[in-house]
Amino acid sequence: MHINERIVGLDAQAVRASVELADRVRPADLSRPTPCLGWTVYGLLAHMATQHYGFAAASRGDGDLARWKTRSLGDDPAASYRASAEHVLAAFAADGVLERMFPLPEFTSGSAFPGAQAISFHFIDYVVHSWDLAKALGVAVDFPPDLLEAALAVARAVPGGQARLAPGAAFAPALPWSGGSRLDEIVAILGRSPSWPA
């Protein structure tokens, strides 16, 4: 089965992994640094939750940039994050979602992306952000081999070059990589050091 036909299920697996990690976050963890430069665990969770709401809105054809404004996580960040994840999972499970066009104003103004491609953006984000969160917490995140092969294909398709150096770029320039796991290879392609925080 082609990755586009599986993307909703693959994305759901990545999102659920992120929820399991978020559920492990304790108040003392919220100020920990993460592999996302300048973001603490709280900042990462807030970004991840906001992206869920932004992508869910886009799946309904809503291209209002206000949907992408960073949200507060309130008194229970893990519960707030879980609610955001359930929101986007429900949005992506809607009939015909792959045939829709997603306006993604945070990515580029005036353009919309086919559903499968837009969900692939969300998918790779949550594979990498799950890794980010796991690293920050000092725990492991495990994905099945088929998910990692799909994520590798998506990671290799992410544009490189000057686009990675622009302010607000989703990913930093690729880093040299050899050995290690498939997940290490994916994060290195997308500008993370597999050995972080070394």
Side-chain angles (χ1 to χ4, degrees), residues 3-19 48 51-52 55-56 59 81 84-93 97-98 102 115-128 130 143-144 146-148 150-151 154:
I3 185 174
N4 284 356
E5 298 169 13
R6 301 166 50 223
I7 195 64
V8 170
L10 291 167
D11 179 77
Q13 288 181 70
V15 171
R16 290 190 183 106
S18 74
V19 171
M48 292 163 68
Q51 294 281 305
H52 287 327
F55 270 93
S59 77
Y81 180 72
S84 73
E86 293 301 330
H87 183 78
V88 79
L89 291 176
F92 286 178
V97 72
L98 295 181
F102 285 47
Q117 184 181 21
I119 295 172
S120 79
F121 299 162
H122 188 264
F123 164 62
I124 196 62
D125 262 1
Y126 287 85
V127 171
V128 175
S130 293
F143 292 113
D146 66 317
L147 183 148
L148 291 173
V154 175

Side-chain angles (χ1 to χ4, degrees), residues 56-94:
S59 77
R60 300 187 292 270
D62 183 347
D64 186 347
L65 188 57
R67 304 284 181 249
W68 301 81
K69 184 178 178 182
T70 302
R71 294 168 175 244
S72 168
L73 298 175
D75 295 332
D76 190 340
S80 295
Y81 180 72
R82 196 179 318 114
S84 73
E86 293 301 330
H87 183 78
V88 79
L89 291 176
F92 286 178

